[in-house]
Amino acid sequence: MRSADARSSARRRGRGRQNGRMRIRAARPEDVPVLQEIERAAGEVFREVGMPEIAADEPFSDEEFAPFLAAGLAWVATDGGDRPVAYLLAERVDGDLHVEQVSVHPGSARQGLGRALIDRAARRAAAEGLPALTLTTFAEVPWNAPYYARCGFTVLDGPQIGPQLRAVREREAAHGLDRWPRVCMRRAVRPQDGAQ
C-alpha cells in the first residue's frame, strides 16, 4: 500500500484515488456523454416508485456541466477501464459545499460509489475550510433522504436554510420537483474529512 504522501502526490497529478477496482478522479469534458447516460439510467428507477416524470427528466446539457468541470467540482467513480459509472457535481452555496447531483449507474449500485463520492466532496470542503456539505433530495425515496441520513446528513428546518439554498429549492419547485416531499440536508465537515 502506498504511503499518504504518495497518495497525496498522485491526487495532485490528477490520477484520482484507488479503492479496490474503483477510482475517483476529476471529471473531464470528454466524460460528459457518459455522465448523461448514467443520469438517464439512474433516473429509470424512479418509475418503480411512481415518479415517471423524474425518470423522463433530461440530464444536464454539456453547457450545464461546464461550470462544474471548470471549477473542479465534478468527480467521477470509474470502473477498471477508467469509464465513469457514477458522478457527483458540487457548488458553493451559503458558504458550504452543496452537492448538486449524485448519480450512480444501476449496474454499479450498492458498491459504495455514492458514499465514496460524497466523502471526496467532503475532503474538498475540508480543504477549502468550508463547514459542511448540503444537498436537497426527495424525503421519502429510500435511496434519497434515508440514504443520505446514513451518510451523516441531517434534515434542515426553515430557519437553518440559508438564502442561496432557499433559491435552489425555489428553482426545484419551479421545475416541478415539489410534487413529492423534498428536504434540505446538511452534513458537518468532520475531522476525518480533512485526512489525506
Side-chain angles (χ1 to χ4, degrees):
M1 186 164 184
R2 297 186 302 168
S3 71
D5 287 342
R7 288 193 305 271
S8 179
S9 176
R11 275 194 293 278
R12 284 194 300 274
R13 290 191 306 266
R15 289 190 172 164
R17 86 179 163 92
Q18 203 73 27
N19 181 3
R21 288 183 46 234
M22 176 190 69
R23 177 177 179 235
I24 294 180
R25 63 165 169 80
R28 301 185 284 243
E30 59 268 24
D31 294 325
V32 169
V34 177
L35 305 186
Q36 291 164 331
E37 290 172 18
I38 292 168
E39 181 63 20
R40 286 186 188 100
E44 284 300 310
V45 296
F46 283 92
R47 291 187 197 282
E48 299 168 16
V49 293
M51 300 168 72
E53 298 88 346
I54 301 302
D57 197 33
E58 277 298 303
F60 282 163
S61 67
D62 293 8
E63 294 75 24
E64 290 168 315
F65 270 105
F68 297 100
L69 297 171
L73 295 173
W75 296 277
V76 295
T78 64
D79 63 15
D82 199 41
R83 180 176 171 84
V85 293
Y87 74 93
L88 182 146
L89 305 177
E91 60 187 335
R92 293 168 195 89
V93 171
D94 291 324
D96 294 321
L97 192 61
H98 180 71
V99 177
E100 170 61 31
Q101 181 70 35
V102 180
S103 290
V104 178
H105 192 283
S108 297
R110 298 191 167 280
Q111 296 179 31
L113 302 181
R115 187 180 294 260
L117 286 163
I118 289 167
D119 289 344
R120 176 62 186 91
R123 284 195 302 281
R124 175 63 175 264
E128 291 188 17
L130 303 177
L133 298 177
T134 61
L135 56 81
T136 62
T137 192
F138 293 110
E140 298 170 357
V141 175
W143 59 90
N144 280 202
Y147 168 78
Y148 294 120
R150 291 191 302 275
C151 292
F153 286 83
T154 58
V155 174
L156 298 173
D157 64 25
Q160 298 172 307
I161 300 171
Q164 292 176 330
L165 191 52
R166 270 196 202 91
V168 169
R169 284 291 297 117
E170 289 167 7
R171 286 193 302 273
E172 291 175 348
H175 192 67
L177 296 183
D178 281 9
R179 287 190 53 199
W180 307 275
R182 285 184 70 77
V183 292
C184 297
M185 302 183 80
R186 182 179 193 270
R187 177 179 127 178
V189 169
R190 305 171 296 198
Q192 64 265 35
D193 292 330
Q196 294 297 317

